[in-house]
Amino acid sequence: MRIQRLNTSAAELHEIDQNYSRYNQKHNIFIRLFWDEEIKRLEHARQKNAEQYSKDNKPGYSKFDKAFLAGTMNFMREKIVQNIHICDQEFNAWNGEKGTKEEGMDIFTLTKAIKKAAKMYGACAVGIAPLDRRWVYSHWYDLQTRQSYPIQFSDEAPEYNRIQEPTLLENKVRVIPASMKTAIVMLFEMDPGCLKYSPTLLPYANGRFVYSEMCLTTNSLAGLIRELGYNAIPSVNCTALNIPLAIDAGLGQIGRNGKLINPYLGTRIRIAKVITDLPLDCDQPIDFGVNEFCEACRKCARKCPAGAIPSDSKVCSGMDELSNDGYLRWAIDHKKCFCYWSECGTNCNICITVCSYNRGYKWTKSILNSSKESSTLVDNLLDSLDDCGPDVFDPEASFWLNS
Ligand code: SF4
Ligand code: SF4
């Protein structure tokens, strides 16, 4: 199937309900680490298990693998949580010094230049989305008070009307100027060689390193935009939901595994964005057959050790309070998923590793056609592919000794 540009939005593609309400970040599993006793217990067990596997010198958890993880954390250390999940911290500050505004720039030339600059700063792919406010969190989480507070737009209340810059009010309400109508969305690639060793410390460490790069890239891009005289909110996992913004930016479709799938990078990606009022030309969502292919494939559901990925159809409601209701998708059981993280001592990554789209989208059409003939045959074929899946992980073949 070819890549088609669609004249629609992520909200329409996922049949968003009129009663849909913006997601409160407090419910996100990583924010729950600060206040939900059950998740705290699971995280404690995760760290203990990782420690034990390392003492046992388990493949993928050796002393060297553990040191590799420590190295990737060196730049961010404990800041990684604050700077990717909590808004307006050191690397993702909402404000910074601004240059004089340059009026009358050609938006097509500017868009090209911004996309190129984002790639120069470290992104693998870049798209521009109109900022659909439904994807912005209803509340942000404050680590100091351990409470959540509203995120609002300057045209939502008369007292905010004069606000021209992203602002934290005394009552902890954050206000985004209504002029910030665009998101520059960026993809960052995970290393297939590391992913082959899922669910061990190797892909976990690679993901952490990629997060550090994402902080650097979003921070740099925000600096460029401010120098041009405009507002910029750099964000990895804070402030707004990434996947629908990436869909609106024409960077991919959502798969059965609940992850974004890009036609070229598959699901081996992490997403970040910069919200801005810089005038840019927006991209459109794309369709390259993910809905049809995931309907037939189900490989991630077969391979998920926790049974957290559904084998059946899409639904409009989330599994529990961790996810939002009111839009159509394959709903992941995040608690089951986190229980397995606790067991394996990392963030698993198996459903990313095994995804059939990691070999690119071009070959999927013929598989889709044969799926009409025999689904068992196709299941077997997909499962047997040397797709950097954990079933081809050979503990004797050290990652470090293979060039
Ligand atoms: S990360 Fe692992 S446990 Fe979680 S959904 Fe993916 S495969 Fe399942
Ligand atoms: S493994 Fe198959 S079903 Fe799962 S997300 Fe990838 S393509 Fe879709």
Side-chain angles (χ1 to χ4, degrees), residues 259 304-306 308-309 332 336-337 340-341 347-351:
K259 309 277 190 290
C304 171
I309 301 174
I332 306 300
K336 275 189 183 171
C337 170
Y340 181 71
W341 289 21
N347 63 344
C348 178
N349 287 301
I350 288 174
C351 54

Side-chain angles (χ1 to χ4, degrees), residues 3-14 128-130 244-253 282-288:
I3 302 175
Q4 292 175 33
R5 293 256 160 216
L6 305 175
N7 191 15
T8 181
S9 65
E12 282 175 30
L13 287 168
H14 293 279
I128 312 291
L245 286 176
I247 293 171
D248 279 332
L251 290 172
Q253 296 182 260
C282 288
D283 291 292
Q284 290 170 299
I286 55 173
D287 183 356
F288 53 101

Side-chain angles (χ1 to χ4, degrees), residues 254-259 261 267 290 293-301 309 330 351 354-357 382:
I254 192 167
R256 182 182 287 278
N257 59 2
K259 309 277 190 290
I261 300 179
T267 197
V290 168
F293 192 80
C294 283
E295 199 58 63
C297 169
R298 300 189 189 91
K299 185 174 178 184
C300 51
I309 301 174
W330 285 289
C351 54
V354 301
C355 179
S356 308
Y357 270 106
L382 290 171

Side-chain angles (χ1 to χ4, degrees), residues 58-127:
K58 192 173 169 179
Y61 298 82
S62 70
K63 193 165 169 49
F64 193 89
D65 299 327
K66 196 177 157 213
F68 178 56
L69 173 67
T72 62
M73 303 277 283
N74 214 27
F75 172 56
M76 299 281 285
R77 285 196 183 274
E78 71 281 353
K79 287 186 185 137
I80 200 153
V81 172
Q82 283 96 325
N83 285 276
I84 68 173
H85 295 298
I86 311 291
C87 58
D88 207 5
Q89 307 292 306
E90 195 174 343
F91 292 99
N92 60 356
W94 273 27
N95 290 290
E97 210 172 305
K98 272 201 199 137
T100 316
K101 197 177 266 186
E102 182 85 28
E103 302 288 352
M105 287 181 289
D106 172 62
I107 72 163
F108 298 104
T109 310
L110 185 59
T111 304
K112 269 194 166 177
I114 284 288
K115 286 183 174 177
K116 187 152 184 179
K119 286 185 182 167
M120 299 295 292
Y121 288 144
C124 290
V126 189

Side-chain angles (χ1 to χ4, degrees), residues 40 43 49 55 60 90 102 124 131 136 146 165 172 197 244 268 270 284 309 336 370-371 373:
K40 279 189 198 174
E43 172 60 10
N49 282 338
K55 277 187 193 143
E90 195 174 343
E102 182 85 28
C124 290
L131 181 66
V136 176
R146 306 276 160 133
E165 293 188 340
K172 297 259 185 192
Y197 291 81
R268 295 186 294 108
R270 304 274 167 189
Q284 290 170 299
I309 301 174
K336 275 189 183 171
S370 34
S371 73
E373 288 152 28

